[in-house]
Amino acid sequence: MTDQKAAPEVNRPRSALVGELCAEFAGTMVLILFGCGVVAQVVAGGALTKPPGALGDHDSIAWSWGLGVTLGVYVAARLSGAHINPAVTVSLAAFKGFPWSKVLPYVGAQTLGAFVGALLVRWNYTEVLGHADPGHTFKTQFVFSTLPGNGVLPVSEWGALRDQIIGTAILVLLIFAVTDLLNSAPKANLGPFIIGLIVVAIGMAWGADAGYAINPARDFGPRLASYITGYDSAWRDQFGNIYFWVPIVGPLVGGLIGAALYKVLITRYLPVAEPEVGRTLAPE
């Protein structure tokens, strides 16, 4: 989730793009291992414990998703910039000069990483999911993919779409802020940790209406993994409506809005600072 232009390409092999795609795959897979993993533990595992819920709660989920982002970014940052989110990749292409020719390969690698990560979670929690929800219904479907109102609140797909646009706009605006060297970017390689905290905060403040997917790969990859492993209702919501498009379209639109807001409200007013000794700051 960093601006790839800021990293100098020194002694990069000819297969640099392959390395970048491997990094996006691995980083997104790590995100899903911790994200879907914690939901499986809290929702499916917690349903079987006495008292119910002994294995965690909403805060556990928010923190593990955020830490999953942090660790995924640390895995991928040097090679690819660690977008691990198609909404971030598209926003960087639209506003930060990331090559459009790399957008589809990055999105494919991110989605594949999310798919494989979800398959590993599904495999590891096979027995727990089977006992908690033998019919593989919406009761445990949102271990893997999101639902309006988390499957229980009275939120329509249009309300969820609004939520995803707003939540992803917040995410991308803040990512642009904390990775902008002309602003007050975190130092000492703390950027991934701060980005993880952003996701924790979004989960705690914006998680009720649509489960804060804020990432098309994070939702579609696990949704596909759940579908091929027994969740026949994976593409619909609890009302029977086709829903899978919402966590794809909403984040893509929201990411562009957040990036545009940062450009309009912040970037054009930032001074071009004098570079520190041994460090060059290049204006966008």
Side-chain angles (χ1 to χ4, degrees), residues 74 177-195 273-277 279 281:
Y74 275 125
V178 302
T179 59
D180 188 348
L181 293 180
L182 296 179
N183 204 329
S184 298
K187 296 179 174 60
N189 203 24
L190 283 175
F193 178 69
I194 301 302
I195 291 171
E274 291 293 326
E276 301 172 11
V277 176
R279 178 181 173 194
L281 297 181

Side-chain angles (χ1 to χ4, degrees), residues 28-55:
T28 313
M29 181 178 68
V30 167
L31 163 63
I32 296 302
L33 290 174
F34 285 94
C36 288
V38 71
V39 183
Q41 176 170 288
V42 171
V43 172
L48 301 174
T49 61
K50 294 182 179 180
L55 292 177

Side-chain angles (χ1 to χ4, degrees), residues 125-209:
Y125 281 98
T126 297
E127 297 86 356
V128 173
L129 289 166
H131 280 81
D133 182 19
H136 301 313
T137 67
F138 292 115
K139 182 178 178 181
T140 56
Q141 168 60 39
F142 65 91
V143 166
F144 302 99
S145 55
T146 58
L147 290 166
N150 291 318
V152 294
L153 298 178
V155 179
S156 70
E157 65 266 31
W158 299 108
L161 179 66
R162 174 198 62 222
D163 173 89
Q164 287 299 284
I165 292 172
I166 296 172
T168 314
I170 295 169
L171 172 70
V172 172
L173 186 152
L174 293 175
I175 287 173
F176 273 39
V178 302
T179 59
D180 188 348
L181 293 180
L182 296 179
N183 204 329
S184 298
K187 296 179 174 60
N189 203 24
L190 283 175
F193 178 69
I194 301 302
I195 291 171
L197 289 181
I198 292 169
V199 174
V200 173
I202 291 173
M204 289 183 170
W206 292 86
D209 275 7

Side-chain angles (χ1 to χ4, degrees), residues 45-95:
L48 301 174
T49 61
K50 294 182 179 180
L55 292 177
D57 55 18
H58 172 76
D59 287 353
S60 306
I61 292 172
W63 276 105
S64 192
W65 274 110
L67 290 171
V69 169
T70 292
L71 298 173
V73 172
Y74 275 125
V75 165
R78 183 63 183 268
L79 286 177
S80 70
H83 304 178
I84 64 175
N85 184 339
V88 173
T89 300
V90 170
S91 298
L92 289 174
F95 291 95

